[in-house]
Amino acid sequence: MRLDKFIADSKGLTRSQAKIPIKDGLVSVNQKIVKQTKHQVDLNFDVVQLNGITVIYQEYRYYMMNKPKNVVSATSDVLEKTVIDLIAKVNQKGLFPVGRLDKDTTGLLFLTNDGMLGHKLLAPRKHVTKVYRALIAGEVTEEIVQTFASGITLKNGETTKPALLKILAINRQKNETKIEISIVEGKYHQIKRMFGAVSMRVQELKRVQMGGLKLDEGLKLGEYRELTPDELSCLIRNIN
Ligand code: URA
């Protein structure tokens, strides 16, 4: 593999960004400075260092973000700030959010440059479970829990698969209910539309889990981090 590709892939840089440290003499292969960007690296044997630090070859990158409100789940947008804008420039290349959260939804967003994995996670037949916590205006009743469990017909006539709805707390003074809901589909505005179908309104919505991947509650809104190897294997378990 060419040295500039090795650096670009591993560091999330474009090929032309990766050429700069190579030409500046900051990259060594087996302890020797190499300034030729097309130098061939043997992935099995060569040790590449950037600024004296060994670079482990990594084609794919996997991140979780605690998505804040007011950013859209897209790679680019002419008007709105996107989740990719919240990622450091050096990590951005090829990255896309797997699935969409509404602009006003917060919580777990998985981002990667691994198109195959992204595709599998979104494939409807994989039924990847998504878990959300929400604040609902009004009182959610056991009857609604049962309705959700048997699948709902949305206002446009579409039906949803059974969803597990749990009532976490009812605040009668404020007339609102905290709930947790697990769904296996990803229809547009699905949770808002499911509550809409029973004449209720979602006030706050946060995703906390996607398949085996749980939101790291230590991440502040807008922060992101790389997945640990364990988290990655939890995520890909069951979808192959
Ligand atoms: N359902 C919604 O209504 N909105 C989201 O962002 C995710 C699920």
Side-chain angles (χ1 to χ4, degrees), residues 161-215:
K161 293 208 180 327
L164 177 65
L165 177 58
K166 290 182 194 163
I167 298 169
L168 301 181
I170 299 173
N171 186 331
R172 295 215 162 81
Q173 256 169 0
K174 289 191 178 167
N175 192 30
E176 58 193 24
T177 310
K178 265 192 202 156
I179 60 103
E180 184 177 280
I181 181 167
S182 306
I183 58 172
V184 292
E185 300 158 292
K187 294 185 195 297
Y188 181 64
H189 291 331
Q190 179 156 346
I191 292 176
K192 291 173 186 162
R193 288 162 69 212
M194 287 174 84
F195 279 96
V198 292
S199 304
M200 299 196 88
R201 189 171 54 81
V202 175
Q203 300 185 145
E204 297 280 338
L205 187 60
K206 175 184 180 182
R207 182 157 65 192
V208 292
Q209 191 169 343
M210 181 174 179
L213 182 65
K214 289 187 176 156
L215 175 67

Side-chain angles (χ1 to χ4, degrees), residues 19-28 32-35 49-52:
K19 286 185 165 110
I20 299 169
I22 300 174
K23 289 189 173 153
D24 286 350
L26 301 174
V27 176
S28 67
K32 276 198 201 131
I33 300 290
V34 175
K35 291 191 175 182
Q49 292 191 314
L50 172 62
N51 284 320

